[in-house]
Amino acid sequence: MDLADLKSGRLGPEDYARNFADAHPPLSRAQALIEAERCYYCYDAPCQTACPTGIDVPSFIQRVAQDNVRGAAEAILTANPLGGMCARVCPTEVLCEQACVRNTHESKPVEIGMLQRYAVEGHLARPGKPLFTRGMPTGRRVAVVGAGPAGLAAAHGLAWRGHDVVLFDAAAKLGGLNEYGLATYKVAGGFAQREIDWLLSIGGITPRLNCRLGRDITLDGLLSEFDAVFLGLGLAGVNALGIAEPQLPGLRDAVDFIAELRQSAPEIVAVGRRVVVIGGGMTAVDAAVQSRLLGAQQVTMAYRRGIDGLSASIHEQHWAQTHGVTIRCWARPLAVVAEGGVLKGMRFAATRLESGKLVDTGEQFVIEADMVLRAIGQTYEAEPAGAGLELKSGRIKTDADGQTSLARVWAGGDCRAGGKDLTVEAVEHGKRAAQAIDRHLGLANARHPDTTEATHG
């Protein structure tokens, strides 16, 4: 294999430092104060309704305008204990900011996400007295399996209410998607772990890492040891292309590529000169853009339907295109092209819609590539949790509070059926499940005066 086609160290140190720095630098104090003054502080604000975690947006922005960073952070973190990460990675342009009434007057909403980031990160930099005091110990123990956004939110809510939480995760670090599944430039500076350190500082949460459900622990075993269990398992399976996929250098899953880059210095991560990313979602965009930032000369995102079918937001699509990524729609993968064990490209069938059904046109074409990244979605793996959980559309079926078909078992995040696979939604799942578990344990009202339901989510 020609090592010039798939290699690391394509760029210089300055290039890597620039390319993988914060994609959007934080607001300065002066910028934040000016932006906060643009808010109308609406009563019954539509932006708050649009937030899956129900953050009191006008309240926190008003506190920013008053230069009260701690108060603003308290308003945010009360509703969303991972408010800093959500400010960085959630599609605020289609959630709270799309609902901003400023849109109807000047077509430019208040930059809610940037203000939220300013407040939370400002507080984490100078935390002072803890915002939340843990309740009196209840003596109840809850297992949380999966330390992604849903599991972290559940663990924090349960510990805050005085329960002892053991937080299990199969990986070597806490964070789940926040630590392993997001583009480096979105969470530069080790922010994911800094936020987790803050979250754990409430006390009562014991991490157990490198501990996999179905291998090291079982759901039945947890139920015999703990009073309740929360499952925030995410989506561990990766969809196959549905074609022959030989074992070739350079043919890999996009999620593994992204995780490797998050856990490594960018200069040691190999990338092709010509990269094809198959898929149309945020993972595809993150993989494609980062391939370009690593030094790939040509990067193409190939998607089998039209541009309207892309699950990546318009903002993400524009981000990809401005970084030199070509988005090629109406392209269904047919075959991996290889010679002598060397990846040469992908063969595609041109597609079109016919009476609402996707069909091949009969035309075929090849996109040359020495690296192909699969980003066509992930699936819930049911085997580790066992057959006792009822599923819906391939994911865990729950009620509105996350209660599953099994007694004393709740679930949330991407593994839960009916969601939108958003970080902020996963946080809300964990938060609501913590409340429901607390009610189930019969201790919702056994609080010291500083820990009432009115003061924390």
Side-chain angles (χ1 to χ4, degrees):
M1 180 178 182
D2 184 359
L3 294 180
D5 291 336
L6 186 66
K7 71 174 188 177
S8 59
R10 290 186 178 276
L11 306 175
E14 299 83 4
D15 297 314
Y16 289 119
R18 180 178 61 254
N19 289 351
F20 291 96
D22 258 328
H24 305 288
L27 297 176
S28 67
R29 175 176 175 272
Q31 289 171 326
L33 292 175
I34 292 170
E35 188 62 25
E37 290 290 355
R38 296 184 60 240
C39 182
Y40 289 140
Y41 313 126
C42 304
Y43 174 76
D44 197 21
C47 55
Q48 180 175 353
T49 303
C51 174
T53 57
I55 293 173
D56 189 340
V57 176
S59 176
F60 98 71
I61 293 181
Q62 187 171 46
R63 295 178 193 186
V64 171
Q66 296 165 347
D67 210 11
N68 179 6
V69 172
R70 177 182 173 86
E74 182 176 17
I76 295 163
L77 296 170
T78 293
N80 182 340
L82 281 86
M85 183 62 73
C86 288
R88 285 174 173 245
V89 305
C90 283
T92 54
E93 70 277 1
V94 297
L95 293 171
C96 52
E97 291 175 12
Q98 188 176 65
C100 178
V101 297
R102 278 277 186 186
N103 285 311
T104 62
H105 293 283
E106 55 186 75
S107 73
K108 184 181 184 302
V110 175
E111 293 187 21
I112 298 169
M114 293 298 287
L115 288 171
Q116 181 170 318
R117 177 179 172 183
Y118 170 82
V120 175
E121 294 186 18
H123 171 68
L124 294 187
R126 297 173 297 277
K129 180 183 176 182
L131 287 177
F132 307 116
T133 303
R134 189 177 178 222
M136 294 293 291
T138 64
R140 303 301 179 89
R141 303 179 70 234
V142 182
V144 174
V145 185
L152 288 169
H156 187 265
L158 289 162
W160 174 82
R161 291 172 171 86
H163 307 305
D164 291 320
V165 178
V166 179
L167 181 57
F168 298 91
D169 199 89
K173 293 182 181 179
L174 301 176
L177 176 71
N178 291 356
E179 176 59 36
Y180 293 96
L182 299 170
T184 301
Y185 52 75
K186 292 180 177 178
V187 285
F191 178 75
Q193 291 304 312
R194 284 196 287 124
E195 185 173 55
I196 289 170
D197 288 343
W198 169 84
L199 186 144
L200 295 179
S201 69
I202 194 170
I205 303 172
T206 304
R208 288 272 305 277
L209 298 171
N210 299 303
C211 192
R212 185 180 297 276
L213 186 66
R215 183 192 68 190
D216 307 301
I217 54 174
T218 65
L219 184 55
D220 286 343
L222 294 175
L223 286 170
S224 68
E225 184 181 352
F226 293 87
D227 297 294
V229 176
F230 176 82
L231 301 175
L233 302 174
L235 303 175
V238 178
N239 289 329
L241 295 175
I243 60 175
E245 298 182 46
Q247 296 293 315
L248 296 172
L251 177 61
R252 61 186 305 194
D253 294 326
V255 291
D256 292 338
F257 172 71
I258 292 168
E260 179 189 359
L261 190 50
R262 280 294 302 276
Q263 302 304 311
S264 310
E267 58 266 24
I268 70 172
V269 177
V271 70
R273 184 189 300 125
R274 297 162 299 179
V275 179
V276 170
V277 181
I278 302 174
M282 187 184 76
T283 298
V285 170
D286 282 358
V289 171
Q290 291 193 117
S291 295
R292 284 284 292 159
L293 296 178
L294 285 171
Q297 296 173 5
Q298 177 184 315
V299 179
T300 304
M301 274 177 57
Y303 180 63
R304 63 195 179 113
R305 295 184 179 272
I307 196 78
D308 293 340
L310 291 169
S311 58
S313 68
I314 297 297
H315 174 81
E316 290 281 333
Q317 294 173 41
H318 180 70
W319 179 253
Q321 291 167 331
T322 56
H323 281 82
V325 175
T326 299
I327 300 178
R328 180 79 179 262
C329 293
W330 306 112
R332 182 177 69 84
L334 279 180
V336 176
V337 179
E339 294 178 9
V342 177
L343 180 63
K344 294 294 184 179
M346 285 292 301
R347 180 177 299 278
F348 293 89
T351 59
R352 67 168 183 261
L353 282 180
E354 193 173 282
S355 301
K357 183 179 180 181
L358 190 71
V359 299
D360 293 349
T361 66
E363 176 191 356
Q364 296 184 10
F365 58 92
V366 172
I367 301 179
E368 294 183 349
D370 38 66
M371 188 173 191
V372 174
L373 300 173
R374 297 166 292 226
I376 57 172
Q378 295 170 261
T379 57
Y380 169 67
E381 291 187 344
E383 185 178 353
L389 289 170
E390 184 179 353
L391 304 183
K392 180 180 180 181
S393 301
R395 303 192 193 188
I396 301 173
K397 181 180 179 180
T398 74
D399 66 12
D401 289 328
Q403 172 71 59
T404 72
S405 59
L406 291 180
R408 299 191 290 124
V409 179
W410 283 257
D414 293 350
C415 70
R416 172 175 158 176
K420 300 177 182 178
D421 296 351
L422 295 175
T423 299
V424 66
E425 182 186 58
V427 172
E428 180 66 9
H429 286 175
K431 187 179 78 173
R432 290 192 63 172
Q435 295 169 346
I437 292 170
D438 188 59
R439 290 193 300 269
H440 166 78
L441 296 176
L443 297 162
N445 297 317
R447 300 284 176 251
H448 64 60
D450 293 332
T451 54
T452 63
E453 289 290 328
T455 61
H456 185 78

